[in-house]
Amino acid sequence: MAYPFQLGFQDAASPIMEELLHFHDHTLMIVFLISSLVLYIISLMLTTKLTHTSTMDAQEVETIWTILPAIILIMIALPSLRILYMMDEINNPSLTVKTMGHQWYWSYEYTDYEDLSFDSYMIPTPDLSPGDLRLLEVDNRVVLPMELPIRMLISSEDVLHSWAVPSLGLKTDAIPGRLNQATLISTRPGLFYGQCSEICGSNHSFMPIVLEMVPLKHFENWSLSMI
């Protein structure tokens, strides 16, 4: 969960989000080094009147500033492609949940059970209990088992939506007539909040997502009580 005036990412709660945070730090360090070098060269050019003409015309310098950017791009591209394929990888999911976007609420269906589905609406501000988060609490949370691979099937019944949970590294578009899928694995229990991340109309800001990750035994008890 984000806190006021937070500048960085939320704490990672899945292996994919941990990889994304490491890649962000890796890329940010490269950008920082390039920016420092460019600022240093600019400061030298502004503070000295001397010009080394032989260096300006050297073939070796042109070769270096052509090859070096290519190497830097490769250093960024290879980890990025690795994470991209990891995000698309789905290995024997233990559970499948179908998510449908509506104006303006989400509906969920546990396809491995015969009759386990519900709608999830945002709780209006006057109805919040003490300690609840405004614009983020829902009447029906999505309860899922932790430390198990879960497949999310995401679509929409009206307009474009986007199902996003930042702390789990998830953001998948919900497109009418198209079924997208995403993999979800949580390494720890807890409540994880998200929102619709695609402008979908006047109440776009009022489509929160709440995932409640629990141990497998608690999930089984919950599913039996819901059927």
Side-chain angles (χ1 to χ4, degrees):
M1 179 62 197
Y3 55 85
F5 303 105
Q6 179 175 342
L7 297 178
F9 291 98
Q10 298 181 23
D11 293 337
S14 69
I16 292 298
M17 191 57 190
E18 291 179 2
E19 293 288 340
L20 290 173
L21 290 178
H22 292 156
F23 175 68
H24 169 265
D25 296 340
H26 166 75
T27 308
L28 189 63
M29 184 56 63
I30 293 176
V31 173
F32 175 76
L33 293 175
I34 293 174
S35 301
S36 301
L37 178 61
V38 171
L39 288 174
Y40 175 70
I41 294 175
I42 291 175
S43 63
L44 286 181
M45 293 177 63
L46 294 176
T47 56
T48 181
K49 297 180 179 180
L50 300 177
T51 302
H52 201 291
T53 56
S54 61
T55 302
M56 299 296 292
D57 298 331
Q59 186 70 32
E60 293 80 5
V61 176
E62 295 186 6
T63 302
I64 291 173
W65 72 39
T66 301
I67 295 177
L68 190 59
I71 295 175
I72 294 174
L73 289 176
I74 292 174
M75 291 175 60
I76 296 175
L78 292 181
S80 176
L81 290 173
R82 172 177 168 272
I83 297 175
L84 184 64
Y85 280 101
M86 288 176 60
M87 294 177 69
D88 286 339
E89 191 75 19
I90 297 181
N91 291 322
N92 299 322
S94 302
L95 183 68
T96 300
V97 180
K98 184 179 178 182
T99 304
M100 297 295 293
H102 308 266
Q103 288 181 312
W104 289 269
Y105 65 95
W106 298 97
S107 61
Y108 300 94
E109 178 185 351
Y110 292 72
T111 59
D112 298 287
Y113 297 84
E114 287 187 4
D115 189 18
L116 181 51
S117 61
F118 53 84
D119 297 331
S120 181
Y121 290 85
M122 185 195 74
I123 299 178
T125 302
D127 299 335
L128 290 175
S129 302
D132 287 346
L133 300 173
R134 179 177 172 270
L135 301 183
L136 287 177
E137 296 292 347
V138 296
D139 56 355
N140 291 310
R141 295 171 176 171
V142 183
V143 180
L144 297 172
M146 56 177 286
E147 295 180 337
L148 290 177
I150 300 168
R151 176 172 54 191
M152 302 297 299
L153 300 178
I154 302 166
S155 185
S156 172
E157 285 197 355
D158 37 49
V159 298
L160 291 176
H161 299 280
S162 186
W163 199 81
V165 183
S167 57
L168 295 175
L170 292 174
K171 186 177 185 296
T172 304
D173 289 339
I175 304 172
R178 179 172 178 173
L179 199 63
N180 292 328
Q181 68 178 7
T183 307
L184 185 157
I185 301 177
S186 176
T187 55
R188 54 187 170 88
L191 292 177
F192 303 103
Y193 293 87
Q195 289 179 303
C196 178
S197 297
E198 186 74 41
I199 297 177
C200 55
S202 59
N203 290 336
H204 158 67
S205 303
F206 310 114
M207 289 184 63
I209 302 162
V210 182
L211 302 185
E212 183 175 352
M213 309 304 297
V214 298
L216 180 59
K217 182 179 179 180
H218 292 77
F219 172 76
E220 291 176 344
N221 294 334
W222 173 84
S223 61
L224 291 176
S225 64
M226 292 290 291
I227 297 177

